[in-house]
Amino acid sequence: MPDRNQVTVWRTKFVNYLCSPFHKTGLLFKVENMKITDPIADYLTRVRNAIKARHRVVEVPASNLKKEVTKVLFDKGYILNYKFEDTENKQGNIKIALKYNPETKESAITKLHRVSTPGLRQYKPASELPKVLNGLGIAILSTSKGVITDKEAKALNVGGEVLCYVY
């Protein structure tokens, strides 16, 4: 059972919410600097949303793992270009130029699927690495040799954490 102070605080926040402009937009509270629990899923979602909105460039907060995933996507031809930018904070940003077919306007990336999550990590040995779309897509893995594709991991005979599927 909450005490009186907690009920009073909740009632005050609720009244302020009803009087705020966020009430009409459906937002309960203004969110600033929200902590992200799965940065790779956030990265993939930003790219996926930019593709659906037909954006040419998407900007993503940087991390070393995201930079390596971006390099793999560029090397395999799924994105047009990328640029690592420094910002006021230490983190920086990654600007990714998305790749579209000039005639059909279809994206080079059809689907991005997150496999290993913070709640359920997916590790595979080299012998059990998945084939994505019968070899037409790629699986991006984090291994002891760095962030590489499933085909490169099989050639090096290393397993690792399956981050995502791209096709």
Side-chain angles (χ1 to χ4, degrees), residues 66-134:
K66 291 179 194 176
K67 288 178 183 179
E68 294 302 315
V69 170
T70 304
K71 288 177 186 175
V72 169
L73 289 175
F74 177 72
D75 291 341
K76 297 302 168 189
Y78 286 102
I79 59 175
L80 195 60
N81 208 347
Y82 63 92
K83 181 180 178 185
F84 302 135
E85 292 184 337
D86 293 328
T87 56
E88 299 86 40
N89 59 2
K90 281 178 90 174
Q91 186 174 13
N93 286 326
I94 306 170
K95 277 194 173 180
I96 301 170
L98 300 172
K99 190 175 189 178
Y100 295 96
N101 186 325
E103 287 118 24
T104 63
K105 308 293 187 216
E106 289 295 316
S107 172
I109 299 173
T110 306
K111 189 155 186 170
L112 290 167
H113 183 272
R114 178 74 161 123
V115 178
S116 183
T117 60
L120 182 61
R121 299 289 184 189
Q122 297 288 327
Y123 297 98
K124 299 287 182 189
S127 60
E128 295 178 19
L129 288 176
K131 260 191 163 179
V132 181
L133 216 62
N134 276 339

Side-chain angles (χ1 to χ4, degrees), residues 52-65:
K52 284 185 179 179
R54 301 274 188 225
H55 289 227
R56 290 183 177 269
V57 177
V58 61
E59 199 166 320
V60 180
S63 72
N64 289 337
L65 185 59

Side-chain angles (χ1 to χ4, degrees), residues 11-31:
R11 188 178 300 135
T12 304
K13 286 184 177 180
F14 186 70
V15 169
N16 289 344
Y17 159 69
L18 289 176
C19 298
S20 75
F22 295 109
H23 172 66
K24 291 170 182 60
T25 61
L27 297 173
L28 184 56
F29 302 111
K30 186 177 177 184
V31 177

